[in-house]
Amino acid sequence: MSGRRIWVAGHKGMVGSAIVRQLEKSGDDVLKVDRSIVDLRNQIAVEVWLKQNRPDAILFAAAKVGGIYANDTFPADFIYDNLAIETNIIHSAHSANVDRLVFLGSSCIYPKFAPQPIREEALLTGPLEPTNEWYAIAKIAGIKLCQAYRKQYGRRFISVMPCNLYGPNDNFDLTTSHVLPALIRKFHEAKNQKAPEVVIWGTGAPLREFLHVDDLARGVIFCLDNYDEDTHINCGAGSEISIRGLAETVSRVVGYEGSLVFDTTKPDGTPRKLMDSGRLRAMGWTPDISLEEGIAGAYQWYLANVVSNAT
Ligand code: GFB
C-alpha cells in the first residue's frame, strides 16, 4: 500500500533514517520534523504539531539511546527522555486521531536471565539487566502505553522489539556508542596509528544478536502493513556472536593486524539476549544482510561520512 502520510519520529537517527530510506522507495509521503522545531519531550509542542499534521500513521523511531556505558552512567536521561517522548507521542497520536502507530522497543526489555531464544511471552517474568534497567523500564512503559490505548480506545498501536542494531548513521562516539561502531572506530584508529593492541570492554564472553538497520526498517514497514495485535513482536537476526568473535570479525574487515586486550574492569552487561523472531518470520519477513557484509558496509559508511569529514 502506498500514498499514505507517515510521520517518522526520529528521522535523523540510525533507525529513523533507515525507515525513511525504505519508505521513500514505496511512494509514501514521509513527514519529518526537526528537534529545533518540535522537542519531543515537550507535550504541548508534540500535541500541536500532530493536530496540525495528522499523519495516517506514525513510525516511532525517536528515543534516547546509547551503549552500555551511557545507559549505566546517565540513568535519569534514559528514563526521563524516553518516558516523556513516549507519553507525548502516543497520547497525542490518540488525541489527533492517528489510528496506526508502530512503537520500537529493544531486546533489553526482557529479563536478564530469560530462557533463550527469548519469546515475546518472557516480558515481565524476571529482573532486568541492571546496566540498562532505566531504558528498559521506559521501553516497557511504551509497550504498555500502546496496549492501553488499544484496550481503552481501540487504537491500532503495535510494538516491535529489535535486537542490537548497526548500520549507516550510527553513533561512533566511544563513550556513548554501542559496541559495533565503537569497534569499527577503535580498529580503524589502531590500524592507522600502528597500535599493537586494541582494548575491548569486558570479558569478550557476552553473546549479542546483531541486525542491520536496513533489515529492521523493512521489518517495521512489514509490521505496519501486516501486524495488528496487542502483543509486541520480536524482530531479530536469529543468530548470535560473542563480543570476542565480533571484535575478531571487525578487526578482519578493517584490516588490523595487532592483538585484542580485554578490560575486565568494564561491565559485560547481560550474558546473552538472543530473541525468538519466529512469529515475524512465519508472517514472511526475513533479514537479508549477513553480519560480515553488514560490517563491511558500516565500515565504508564510517570512512565516507565520519573519517572524511574529520580530515
Ligand atoms: O553494545 P553495548 O554497549 O550494549 O555492549 P548492550 C555490548 C557488549 O560489548 C558489552 C562490550 O558486553 C560491552 O562491555 N564492549 C566491548 C563494548 N567493547 C566495547 C566498546 O568499546 N563499547 C561498547 N559500548 N561496548 C545496550 C543497552 O546493551 O544495548 C541498551 O545498554 C540497548 O539499553 C542496546 O538495549 C541495544 O547490548 O550491553
Side-chain angles (χ1 to χ4, degrees):
M1 192 172 131
S2 64
R4 299 166 293 192
R5 297 175 68 252
I6 300 181
W7 177 32
V8 179
H11 67 281
K12 286 194 170 157
M14 178 174 74
V15 172
S17 59
I19 292 173
V20 170
R21 284 196 298 280
Q22 203 67 41
L23 282 174
E24 283 175 346
K25 293 180 197 163
S26 69
D28 285 313
D29 183 7
V30 182
L31 308 190
K32 306 169 195 164
V33 62
D34 281 4
R35 186 177 307 198
S36 57
I37 297 169
V38 176
D39 181 337
L40 298 175
R41 294 167 303 181
N42 179 326
Q43 185 184 13
I44 305 292
V46 174
E47 181 128 16
V48 167
W49 189 84
L50 263 174
K51 283 193 171 150
Q52 282 167 350
N53 289 277
R54 293 185 195 276
D56 297 313
I58 299 173
L59 298 182
F60 193 149
K64 166 95 180 161
V65 299
I68 192 167
Y69 177 80
N71 268 268
D72 204 23
T73 312
F74 309 111
D77 294 353
F78 276 83
I79 195 163
Y80 171 75
D81 285 9
N82 285 306
L83 283 174
I85 293 169
E86 289 163 13
T87 53
N88 293 345
I89 293 182
I90 294 169
H91 178 74
S92 300
H94 166 64
S95 311
N97 210 18
V98 179
D99 187 47
R100 198 77 175 116
L101 179 149
V102 183
F103 175 67
L104 286 175
S106 163
S107 56
C108 73
I109 58 158
Y110 291 113
K112 175 167 183 162
F113 298 112
Q116 313 274 323
I118 312 172
R119 293 172 54 84
E120 286 85 354
E121 293 73 18
L123 186 66
L124 293 172
T125 57
L128 297 165
E129 154 60 32
T131 54
N132 63 35
E133 65 179 322
W134 323 95
Y135 176 77
I137 292 279
K139 286 292 181 185
I140 293 168
I143 297 171
K144 290 293 164 192
L145 278 161
C146 290
Q147 291 174 344
Y149 283 83
R150 276 185 89 87
K151 181 173 168 161
Q152 189 173 338
Y153 298 111
R155 291 292 176 205
R156 299 187 311 128
F157 296 173
I158 60 167
S159 299
V160 176
M161 294 310 109
C163 60
N164 287 44
L165 301 168
Y166 69 98
N169 289 316
D170 212 337
N171 168 20
F172 289 85
D173 176 289
L174 292 179
T175 52
T176 57
S177 73
H178 290 98
V179 61
L180 213 156
L183 293 182
I184 288 176
R185 178 171 171 180
K186 285 179 179 180
F187 284 114
H188 173 77
E189 291 180 354
K191 180 175 90 170
N192 283 355
Q193 293 156 12
K194 301 194 179 2
E197 58 189 38
V198 164
V199 177
I200 316 294
W201 294 353
T203 61
L207 296 164
R208 293 289 184 273
E209 179 186 13
F210 292 97
L211 181 70
H212 193 281
V213 72
D214 288 345
D215 280 334
L216 172 77
R218 281 191 306 101
V220 170
I221 296 163
F222 181 87
C223 288
L224 172 69
D225 293 337
N226 298 292
Y227 188 74
D228 188 21
E229 288 179 33
D230 180 70
T231 310
H232 57 283
I233 188 163
N234 291 342
C235 184
S239 58
E240 58 190 343
I241 185 168
S242 70
I243 297 304
R244 177 188 287 275
L246 180 75
E248 289 166 353
T249 308
V250 175
S251 153
R252 194 168 55 245
V253 168
V254 171
Y256 174 71
E257 290 177 346
S259 50
L260 314 184
V261 174
F262 291 88
D263 175 1
T264 54
T265 65
K266 296 284 195 303
D268 270 348
T270 199
R272 197 180 171 199
K273 48 178 168 177
L274 177 65
M275 294 191 301
D276 180 341
S277 302
R279 192 171 283 175
L280 187 53
R281 281 176 181 248
M283 290 169 55
W285 170 87
T286 48
D288 280 344
I289 304 169
S290 73
L291 185 58
E292 187 121 7
E293 177 195 352
I295 291 175
Y299 182 43
Q300 291 309 313
W301 189 92
Y302 170 72
L303 290 175
N305 296 276
V306 181
V307 176
S308 68
N309 289 342
T311 50

